[in-house]
Amino acid sequence: DAKTTQPPSMDCAEGRAANLPCNHSTISGNEYVYWYRQIHSQGPQYIIHGLKNNETNEMASLIITEDRKSSTLILPHATLRDTAVYYCIVVNYGGSQGNLIFGKGTKLSVKP
Amino acid sequence: KAGVTQTPRYLIKTRGQQVTLSCSPISGHRSVSWYQQTPGQGLQFLFEYFSETQRNKGNFPGRFSGRQFSNSRSEMNVSTLELGDSALYLCASSSIQGRAGTVRFFGPGTRLTVL
């Protein structure tokens, strides 16, 4: 089973920041938090990942709480093309390395 | 760099047939994993290969098999197809195996329809 909990759906206005929450209260110290998104019928696209510190790249920012039990993916200026299902995944360092356990994700709808 | 490529992109088969799907990882990547995505079950892990050896396997019947070649390209095979095997089959590659901080990049998938 997925080790994360995400809201099933969210709406965001175009041009506004989209903040997608993820709960991973059972995360252990050596587990990473990954975010992927999947636009309808395409392969999942890697967005960002982090261990403890906040991370930022050209696509998004990842904010991880100090206790690491939750995180937020931030798309700073959402566009219509950001409409997708967003998956938050916890990956175990010493576990099954090939096995990304996907939950149901959050369906983000960006509206004009 | 070119991304992960999968062939064919679409495939239609009938029950009882077998099918082979192909995945070419990103150049330099040696780990390839396969996933099945259906509306009912979501994305589920099938297996992972690294250096031509299966390193990890999901909970799928033996009809699902795979292999990896010396150039890291991978194939998966499904024998005796069932209607429930209709799905999007995704391949992901990463540079090394065994590190949680290593990003896996997905291909566009092969859409298999079993009639």
Side-chain angles (χ1 to χ4, degrees), chain A residues 30-32 34 36 38 41-46 49 87 91-104, chain B residues 9 33 35 37 40 43-45 47-48 56 88 90 97-109 111:
Chain A
N30 60 2
E31 290 180 321
Y32 285 75
Y34 275 76
Y36 283 82
Q38 187 174 27
S41 294
Q42 298 181 21
Q45 178 189 22
Y46 166 76
H49 74 287
Y87 296 99
V91 181
N92 190 321
Y93 179 93
S96 303
Q97 299 307 310
N99 189 1
L100 295 176
I101 302 176
F102 287 82
K104 296 187 184 302
Chain B
R9 293 293 312 279
S33 50
Y35 292 78
Q37 185 173 28
L43 271 153
Q44 293 186 290
F45 171 73
F47 27 66
E48 182 194 20
N56 199 6
L88 180 66
L90 293 156
Q97 187 262 351
R99 298 278 181 178
T102 303
V103 178
R104 295 156 183 83
F105 296 93
F106 283 83
R111 172 73 64 185

Side-chain angles (χ1 to χ4, degrees), chain B residues 27-40:
Chain B
S27 177
H29 284 194
R30 297 172 59 194
S31 175
V32 173
S33 50
W34 289 88
Y35 292 78
Q36 180 197 64
Q37 185 173 28
T38 60

Side-chain angles (χ1 to χ4, degrees), chain B:
Chain B
K1 272 187 181 179
V4 178
T5 58
Q6 294 187 243
T7 56
R9 293 293 312 279
Y10 302 91
L11 204 50
I12 299 175
K13 292 286 188 179
T14 57
R15 279 181 298 175
Q17 287 186 309
Q18 73 166 14
V19 66
T20 299
L21 312 181
S22 180
C23 171
S24 293
I26 292 170
S27 177
H29 284 194
R30 297 172 59 194
S31 175
V32 173
S33 50
W34 289 88
Y35 292 78
Q36 180 197 64
Q37 185 173 28
T38 60
Q41 299 298 318
L43 271 153
Q44 293 186 290
F45 171 73
L46 281 157
F47 27 66
E48 182 194 20
Y49 286 86
F50 180 78
S51 293
E52 302 177 64
T53 302
Q54 187 179 92
R55 304 289 178 163
N56 199 6
K57 189 177 188 302
N59 188 25
F60 277 81
R63 298 185 298 106
F64 292 82
S65 63
R67 59 178 175 169
Q68 187 180 34
F69 302 95
S70 58
N71 62 358
S72 296
R73 190 177 69 85
S74 177
E75 289 182 347
M76 67 162 283
N77 183 277
V78 187
S79 62
T80 318
L81 284 166
E82 301 177 358
L83 295 178
D85 297 333
S86 293
L88 180 66
Y89 289 89
L90 293 156
C91 163
S93 79
S94 61
S95 56
I96 55 177
Q97 187 262 351
R99 298 278 181 178
T102 303
V103 178
R104 295 156 183 83
F105 296 93
F106 283 83
T110 294
R111 172 73 64 185
L112 172 65
T113 301
V114 182
L115 302 177

